[in-house]
Amino acid sequence: CISRGAPASARRRQSAPSRSRQMYQAAPVEGANLELPLEVSAHVQHDALLVLRSEDLDASRGPWRVPADAAALGRILDRLGYESAVAQGLRHRRNGGAGDVAPITSAAQLKHSGHVALLWVIPSRTERVRLRGAAQPASPPRTGSSAQYGGGYAGGGGRLGGSAEAESEAALSKEAAMAAATVAEEAMWTDVTRYSAVGLLKMGSKHLFLATPRGGGHLKECTPMCCLDFYVLSDTQRQGVGRRLFEAMLEVTGARPDTLAYDRPSPKLRGFLRKHYGLANEVSQTNNFCVFEPFFRTGAIETDRGGPRRQQALAPAQPAFSAGSRRPF
């Protein structure tokens, strides 16, 4: 508590939250829509991997030239990163670790880190949309008057005998014109499957000093590819989504599970790696990263501390679906 006689600067510090706290108290993202923008969904043909780089969230540089689409992708990334942090119990250290949720994946972070976010998307619904650039349909041709079809009056008597046939032909012509207009209008619309993101996997290189299995304080310096965040929505877990996402990442990067370093892997991720890839012999590290014994036998580490560094090479595999034409790494 600050007394009334305390200096004004102290009272201002108490009344106004710090800039960092204002940043942590940003608008909640847990309710953000995970459905991809229409223009993005239109390029997806099946369950697929969506690769997001920093420029993909910038409408002036990325493939999505509509700012609203780039912003929507950023909100999707923010929500998945937020829910991942909640599931892992990641919070800021203040108040004894009871601070606000501390996501390690967000659109703002991706723009400045050089990392790559991989989203697994699945069909969510079908929407009927008008084709871009389709002209408005022409109005059906107006039917002519009875005079156009030889109608009219003869002398001062009644209608000509052919007027009934002319009216019938006019009705048929009108129906044909309306049918043609309906067909033309139908051709200007298409069904688009909308997709929603259900999984997140963030990858990137990190400069690390790793303890080797032989111990003795011996460290190896390297820049391996790292799994930095891995999350699947709770209502789609145990459906193979995580496995398909991880396998797609391996195809894109050309990496193997035993050549990766894992940042603060959760018990679920450890179990996932043990079940599907047989990775169980973890080499203890002093940092938050986890590597397994095969890591040191695969050439992922090549130099001692202080020596030259070389980033792990990546195979030129193509993703199932990418926001752009270039490879993500």
Side-chain angles (χ1 to χ4, degrees), residues 2 21 60 146 207 290:
I2 299 180
R21 184 167 181 80
S60 63
S146 57
H207 181 204
C290 164

Side-chain angles (χ1 to χ4, degrees), residues 237-269:
Q237 292 180 7
R238 301 187 179 277
Q239 299 179 21
V241 173
R243 178 71 183 276
R244 293 197 294 271
L245 173 57
F246 199 85
E247 288 289 339
M249 177 274 296
L250 297 178
E251 181 181 354
V252 169
T253 63
R256 300 201 310 268
D258 55 3
T259 64
L260 301 175
Y262 301 86
D263 185 13
R264 290 175 288 192
S266 65
K268 284 187 176 181
L269 178 54

